[in-house]
């Protein structure tokens, strides 16, 4: 990350949280892109080619699951890590994100900024 | 014309004669001949010569008028043929008579025509003048009798017509000239008395021809008429010479002159035909009356088939004027006819059997037609059971139903010479038709009686209540089941009496439904309450349906009721079951929606709390620049408060999850010892803060179990957290892992505040909080233990608790062995 900043795409419909994550991750030296829903994220994918996507699940327009389905990350962006990051505790839905290519699921409310950074760093290693 | 007078009377008398001739009302004429006619010639020749040579030489005015002239002039010189019709045989006869009588005739009629061609009848007197064998002239007088003649002809014609009419009307005419004691009989009348036309009838003979029984009255009416001249009309019989008797209608009257009978005129008509018809009608009437009486009599005795048969037989015998008869009926096997009933000479034949085609009855059976035998003794089909001399004549009439012979009525005359006439056979056939219908009805009646009997027996033994209604909706029958149930008598229930057994609150609807269904001939089913003999109303289920006869004729309704009181009660239970189930479903639904609400609420609550956490976290963790120690402390408090809120939300969400059944365990075989060590190590810091110690007592070797590690870890964390929180500072918590025969137990024992007995039972309830000195301080949602127990339960394990107030509490997790 010292040499070439890793690219992170934050997909989060809640603007306050999106801003907080962006602030935190930018301060940590990541190149951060934002998307307010699945559709925006999908549009940003070809241009940004993110190393990691912080993906909310419950979103308007296109939710996280639909995004994963449409993006076909394993095929098109095999190196992109996905952190499913939501306040959802519906286990079945969470299982599904894993099946669609999410590498880890973390409850949004359970991570402090530092813990979030730690989690992301772990995934990017 | 008086030629003689003209020739001889000259002088004084001449004028008187001329006047006489002129004024005479009689025609007077003189005929002369061109050539004298020899009198020796044959008459026809003479007549032919007369027509040829005779001419009218002179005539008076009366003569001219007779021929339609006003004067004599045109008459003079007319030839004989102009006056007499030559072709009229009467004229020929007239001239013949003239010749044969020596040329002298008087009072002879001639048939002539006047100038208008009108026929004329004259009475002539004439004299011929014959000299030397030659007729040289003739003179005569003639009177016009045309009017008289025509009257006579008309009379004769009318007499002829009368005669023809009388003959055509088969009327006999007789005229008795009382004074001369002459009796005239027309030919037709003679024929009516069976006489020849040539037979002479006088009064004595006449009196002998009248039937002796009728003679006195016949005499009396004629005598009466001879006194009064009144018209009489009388029917009487006459005896023909051949011995036969015939009926005549005699009508007539006496013609009186000065109160004395002069003549008696009469006409007579043969009325045999009418009498016969009358007799037939009378007999037919009798027969019809008999039929009617028979029908009446039979219908009274319908319940008794023997009585019916006896009635039929007696009536038939009476009709045919005999006392001997019997009735054969078909056997069950249809192989024989058997005498069922018999009278008179046949009495001893009761039970006698006959086959098809045998004897009289067998033939009647075979041919399905009546059979009358005039001379039984000499009949080819005579049965040995009737020796000669027993039966004179016999008749057999089939009894048949729908074209099938079911029996034979047979009658006999044992007297020789008597036999059954055609009309009697016809009448008996009618009676037999009636009897057949009666017998068929009797059979149907008996069958229906039997059916009714069978039905009642069946109905009375049926374990249901049965009722029967007729076509007027009135109930005619209730079975024993119904009567025993209501404790009432049949007489009380029939008609509409049953209504008193129905619960008043149900009656109106019950009747309405019954009547509506009845009118539409529809089956119905309804429930109502019937008063039992003990006064208690019981629910019954009544199913009714229209009943029809074998020919589809509507006969009423029949229904059965079953006591459904128990069913009703069961139904009530079922109903309450249903409502319970419904309530439960509603509760479940409510619960679900509550769970969903909690889930959603939790999610929604998390988001802002997450925002707070992130921003305060950023400040605390240096993403917002450096802060003072005090500032950090304040933010830390805020952060923790927010954390507690998140915990509560997490708890709520967890409970909602576990309640909704959405929790899926991801069980794997793990070593519980290592799990416990792990959890305790993580908790050590917390315990240390409260100067509490935590001790694990577990076997050295691995203890395995199939668990959802994450969930069990949370249960353990929860229990350890509680143990710490509800224990004063400095106390110990002991965690023991024990391996039993069938399960493994994890005991977490504290030395804390303990829980009272009442509270202990509520401990695992949702949102329950136990009031103790520490609970307010600790806070909490009261769902941790509830969730923990649910999770342990999902593992087929048990979460148990024992506690002693102020001494401490021990939770035990029992899990199945792996």
């Amino acid at each position: 990350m010292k040499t070439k900043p890793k690219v992170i795409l934050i997909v989060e419909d809640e603007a306050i949280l999106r801003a907080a994550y962006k602030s935190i991750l930018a301060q940590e030296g990541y190149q951060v892109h934002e998307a307010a829903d699945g559709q925006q994220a999908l549009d940003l994918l070809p241009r940004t080619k993110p190393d990691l996507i912080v993906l909310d699940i419950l979103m308007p327009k296109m939710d996280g699951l639909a995004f994963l389905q449409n993006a076909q990350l394993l095929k098109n962006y095999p190196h992109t890590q996905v952190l499913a990051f939501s306040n959802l505790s519906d286990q079945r839905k969470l299982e599904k994100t894993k099946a669609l290519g999410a590498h880890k699921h973390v409850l949004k409310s359970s991570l402090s900024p530092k813990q979030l950074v730690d989690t992301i760093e772990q995934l990017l290693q | 014309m008086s030629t003689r007078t003209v020739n001889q009377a000259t002088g004084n008398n001449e004028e008187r004669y001329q006047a006489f001739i002129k004024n005479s009302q009689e025609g007077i004429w003189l005929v002369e001949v061109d050539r004298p006619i020899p009198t020796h010639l044959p008459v026809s020749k003479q007549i032919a010569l007369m027509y040829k040579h005779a001419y009218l030489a002179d005539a008076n005015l009366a003569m001219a008028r007779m021929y339609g002239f006003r004067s004599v002039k045109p008459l003079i010189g007319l030839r004989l043929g102009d006056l007499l019709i030559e072709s009229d045989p009467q004229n020929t006869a007239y001239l013949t008579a003239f010749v044969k009588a020596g040329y002298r005739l008087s009072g002879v009629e001639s048939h002539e025509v006047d100038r208008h061609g009108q026929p004329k009848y004259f009475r002539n007197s004439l004299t011929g003048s014959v000299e030397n064998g030659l007729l040289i002239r003739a003179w005569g007088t003639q009177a016009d009798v045309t009017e008289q003649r025509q009257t006579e002809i008309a009379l004769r014609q009318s007499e002829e017509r009368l005669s023809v009419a009388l003959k055509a009307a088969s009327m006999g005419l007789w005229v008795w000239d009382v004074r001369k004691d002459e009796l005239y009989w027309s030919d037709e009348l003679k024929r009516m008395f069976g006489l020849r036309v040539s037979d002479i009838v006088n009064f004595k003979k006449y009196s002998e021809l009248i039937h002796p029984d009728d003679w006195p009255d016949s005499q009396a009416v004629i005598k009466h008429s001879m006194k009064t001249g009144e018209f009489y009309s009388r029917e009487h019989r006459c005896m023909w010479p051949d011995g036969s008797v015939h009926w005549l209608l005699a009508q007539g009257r006496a013609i009186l002159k000065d109160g004395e009978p002069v003549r008696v005129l009469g006409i007579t008509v043969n009325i045999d035909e009418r009498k016969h018809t009358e007799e037939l009608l009378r007999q037919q009437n009798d027969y019809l009356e008999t039929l009617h009486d028979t029908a009446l009599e039979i219908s009274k005795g319908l319940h008794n088939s023997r009585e019916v048969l006896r009635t039929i037989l007696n009536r038939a015998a009476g009709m045919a004027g005999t006392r001997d008869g019997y009735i054969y009926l078909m056997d069950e096997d249809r192989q024989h006819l058997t005498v069922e009933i018999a009278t008179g000479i046949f009495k001893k034949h009761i039970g006698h059997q006959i086959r098809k085609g045998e004897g009289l009855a067998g033939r009647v059976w075979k041919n399905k037609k009546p059979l009358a035998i005039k001379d039984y003794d000499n009949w080819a089909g005579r049965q040995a059971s009737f020796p000669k001399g027993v039966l004179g004549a016999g008749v057999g009439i089939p009894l048949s139903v729908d074209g099938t012979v079911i029996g034979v009525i047979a009658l006999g005359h044992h007297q020789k010479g008597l036999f059954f006439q055609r009309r009697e056979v016809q009448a008996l056939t009618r009676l037999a038709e009636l009897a057949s219908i009666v017998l068929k009805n009797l059979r149907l009646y008996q069958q229906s009686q039997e059916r009714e009997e069978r039905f009642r027996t069946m109905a009375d033994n049926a374990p249901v209540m049965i009722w029967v209604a007729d076509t007027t909706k009135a109930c005619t029958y209730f079975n024993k089941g119904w009567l025993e149930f209501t404790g009432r008598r049949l007489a009380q229930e029939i008609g509409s009496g049953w209504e008193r057994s129905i619960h008043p609150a149900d009656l109106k609807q019950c009747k309405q439904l019954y009547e509506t269904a009845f009118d539409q001939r529809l089956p119905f089913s309804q429930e109502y309450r019937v008063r039992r003999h003990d006064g208690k109303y019981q629910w019954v289920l009544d199913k009714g349906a229209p009943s029809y006869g074998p020919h589809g004729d509507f006969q009423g309704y029949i229904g059965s009721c079953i006591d459904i009181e128990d069913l009703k009660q069961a139904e009530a239970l079922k109903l309450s079951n249903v409502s319970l189930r419904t309530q439960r479903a509603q509760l479940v639904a409510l619960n679900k929606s509550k769970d969903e609400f909690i889930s959603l609420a939790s999610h929604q609550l998390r988001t802002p709390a997450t925002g707070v956490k992130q921003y305060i976290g950023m400040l605390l963790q240096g993403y917002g620049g450096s802060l003072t120690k005090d500032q950090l402390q304040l933010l830390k408090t805020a952060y923790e408060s927010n954390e507690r809120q998140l915990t509560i939300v997490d708890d709520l969400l967890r409970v909602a999850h576990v309640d909704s059944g959405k929790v899926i365990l991801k069980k794997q075989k793990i070593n519980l010892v290592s799990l416990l060590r792990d959890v305790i190590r993580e908790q050590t810091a917390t315990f240390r803060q409260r100067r509490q110690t935590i001790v694990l007592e577990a076997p050295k070797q691995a203890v395995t179990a199939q668990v959802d590690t994450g969930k069990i870890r949370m249960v353990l964390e929860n229990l350890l957290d509680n143990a710490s929180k509800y224990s004063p500072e400095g106390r110990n918590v002991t965690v023991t892992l024990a391996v039993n025969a069938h399960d493994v137990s994890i005991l977490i024992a504290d030395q804390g505040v303990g829980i009272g007995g009442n509270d202990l039972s509520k401990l695992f309830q949702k949102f329950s909080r136990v009031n103790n000195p520490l609970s307010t301080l600790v806070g909490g949602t009261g769902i941790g233990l509830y969730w923990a127990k649910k999770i342990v339960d999902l593992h087929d394990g048990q979460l148990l608790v024992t506690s002693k107030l102020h001494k401490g509490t021990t939770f035990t997790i029992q899990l199945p062995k792996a």
Side-chain angles (χ1 to χ4, degrees), chain B residues 367-386:
Chain B
N367 299 324
K368 301 180 179 180
K369 279 197 293 198
L371 179 60
I373 307 299
K374 281 189 179 175
D375 183 2
Y376 189 80
D377 283 350
N378 296 309
W379 180 52
R382 185 171 68 88
Q383 287 285 286
S385 51
F386 290 105

Side-chain angles (χ1 to χ4, degrees), chain B residues 72 251 277 311 329 412 416 435 588 629 648 683:
Chain B
V72 179
Q251 294 180 325
T277 310
T311 303
L329 283 187
K416 275 276 178 193
V588 166
K629 206 179 170 187
I648 290 166
Q683 296 273 319

Side-chain angles (χ1 to χ4, degrees), chain B residues 125 307 432 562 663 671:
Chain B
S125 293
E307 209 171 295
I562 53 167
V663 173
N671 183 358

Side-chain angles (χ1 to χ4, degrees), chain A residues 14-17 19-21 23-24 27-28 58 85 87-92 95 107-117, chain B residues 599 603 606-607 609-611 613-618 621-624 639 643 646 650 653 657 661-666 708 711:
Chain A
E14 204 66 51
I16 288 174
L17 292 181
Y21 300 152
S23 170
I24 293 162
Q27 287 185 54
E28 291 295 338
L58 275 183
F85 197 51
N87 271 335
L88 195 74
S89 38
D90 186 328
Q91 281 189 325
R92 253 169 291 181
E95 292 295 322
L107 195 62
K108 253 190 266 184
S109 63
S110 69
L111 295 185
S112 69
K114 201 102 196 127
Q115 286 169 321
L116 173 62
V117 172
Chain B
S599 175
H603 183 263
R606 262 178 186 162
T607 304
T610 305
K613 178 169 173 152
Q614 292 305 321
Y615 284 91
I616 296 176
M618 284 165 72
Q621 292 174 342
Y623 292 98
Y639 187 85
E643 283 297 287
L646 280 172
D650 286 351
L653 203 59
H657 252 256
K662 281 181 186 167
V663 173
I664 302 156
L665 293 182
K666 284 182 289 181
D708 183 325
K711 299 283 190 300

Side-chain angles (χ1 to χ4, degrees), chain B residues 684-703:
Chain B
T684 308
T686 318
F687 274 74
R688 202 172 287 156
Q689 284 174 3
R690 294 175 58 80
R691 296 189 294 110
Q692 293 165 335
T693 53
I694 178 164
V695 179
L696 173 66
E697 291 179 3
K700 289 259 173 7
Q701 71 276 25
V703 175

Side-chain angles (χ1 to χ4, degrees), chain A residues 9-13 18 33-48 59-62 67:
Chain A
L9 174 60
I10 298 166
V11 189
E12 167 66 64
D13 62 318
R18 206 163 62 231
H33 298 279
E34 298 170 76
D37 56 60
Q39 188 56 55
Q40 284 184 14
L42 212 53
D43 295 343
L44 283 171
L45 272 182
R47 189 161 52 83
T48 55
M59 288 182 295
K61 290 182 188 170
M62 187 189 286
F67 166 75

